[in-house]
Amino acid sequence: MEKNILYWNNLAVKAKKDAESFTELYQHFFPRVYKFIYSKISNAEFADEIISETFLKVYEHLEKYNPERAAFSTWLYQIALNELRYFFRKNKFPLEYQGEVDENFEIPASEFEQPEQKFLAGETKIKIQSALEKLSERERKILEMTYFLDYPPRKIAEILDLTPNHVSVLLKRAKNNLKKFLENV
């Protein structure tokens, strides 16, 4: 059974008083948030530090989570993004820092992942990263906020000082451009 946003929101509320619920949240979201952070900093050591701080903040502030204001995933990714920004400021990195790419780094594969699936996933990731690099910064930001942070167009519009309709148009354009770039990679 695929678990939906409502399931995770309810589990987050339950996790305020139940360690097993928090463990399930952690196990589900850790690899996703780690990939998000690593994609921004390209350094496993720094990513480890940031992910630790992120989940420590989540644990410490879980009582403040309100499912009526945002999905748990949105709340969690916002904390991760804040920790990433704090890390950049604290270490005086420019905000677009990509670090040295650790060629040997691999996020642990699922125990069910076969070698050929892993190889194809790696090739797909390289193609997607290459296509994303061809997008404008604004298009990448809109895709990130939509798919990594689960932000609705209204929230993205507020952040980027645009109208929600303009965000929807830019999102559609970004997806079309991404598709076009993927076809040519």
Side-chain angles (χ1 to χ4, degrees):
M1 176 181 98
E2 189 173 313
K3 296 170 181 165
N4 63 21
I5 292 172
L6 188 58
Y7 174 83
W8 297 113
N9 291 354
N10 290 336
L11 191 65
V13 170
K14 189 176 173 188
K16 294 174 184 182
K17 297 177 182 163
D18 179 32
E20 285 181 31
S21 297
F22 184 81
T23 301
E24 185 177 350
L25 286 171
Y26 178 85
Q27 288 173 341
H28 176 76
F29 285 103
F30 180 90
R32 291 158 178 80
V33 176
Y34 190 89
K35 286 178 186 179
F36 169 71
I37 291 169
Y38 186 81
S39 75
K40 299 292 175 203
I41 200 156
S42 299
N43 180 300
E45 184 180 333
F46 293 156
D48 289 345
E49 184 179 332
I50 296 165
I51 194 82
S52 295
E53 287 300 317
T54 297
F55 276 96
L56 180 61
K57 288 263 172 44
V58 168
Y59 183 77
E60 290 173 344
H61 299 284
L62 200 53
E63 287 85 33
K64 295 178 182 177
Y65 170 67
N66 181 351
E68 293 175 10
R69 293 189 65 212
F72 176 75
S73 59
T74 302
W75 185 74
L76 171 61
Y77 278 99
Q78 188 60 56
I79 292 171
L81 198 54
N82 290 342
E83 286 302 312
L84 188 61
R85 286 180 182 139
Y86 175 73
F87 181 84
F88 279 117
R89 281 192 310 271
K90 179 177 82 172
N91 293 290
K92 296 180 174 58
F93 290 139
L95 285 177
E96 295 302 318
Y97 174 81
Q98 286 297 311
E100 289 183 29
V101 176
D102 180 356
E103 298 294 331
N104 298 318
F105 175 77
E106 252 184 74
I107 295 171
S110 160
E111 62 188 77
F112 303 107
E113 199 172 63
Q114 300 297 317
E116 52 274 358
Q117 290 172 321
K118 191 174 176 181
F119 174 77
L120 291 173
E123 280 191 346
T124 301
K125 181 180 177 185
I126 291 168
K127 287 179 181 179
I128 291 171
Q129 285 176 333
S130 175
L132 282 169
E133 288 172 5
K134 294 176 183 174
L135 294 174
S136 71
E137 183 178 345
R138 181 161 64 168
E139 288 174 328
R140 279 194 306 271
K141 282 183 180 179
I142 288 174
L143 287 171
E144 278 179 11
M145 287 187 235
T146 301
Y147 295 106
F148 283 114
L149 300 176
D150 292 327
Y151 285 173
R154 185 184 81 258
K155 180 154 183 146
I156 297 170
E158 289 174 22
I159 294 168
L160 298 178
D161 196 27
L162 301 168
T163 66
N165 286 341
H166 194 191
V167 169
S168 295
V169 168
L170 291 172
L171 177 61
K172 183 175 175 134
R173 186 178 302 150
K175 290 190 316 190
N176 287 338
N177 287 339
L178 185 61
K179 183 179 177 184
K180 180 176 70 177
F181 293 140
L182 282 169
E183 290 169 357
N184 294 327
V185 172

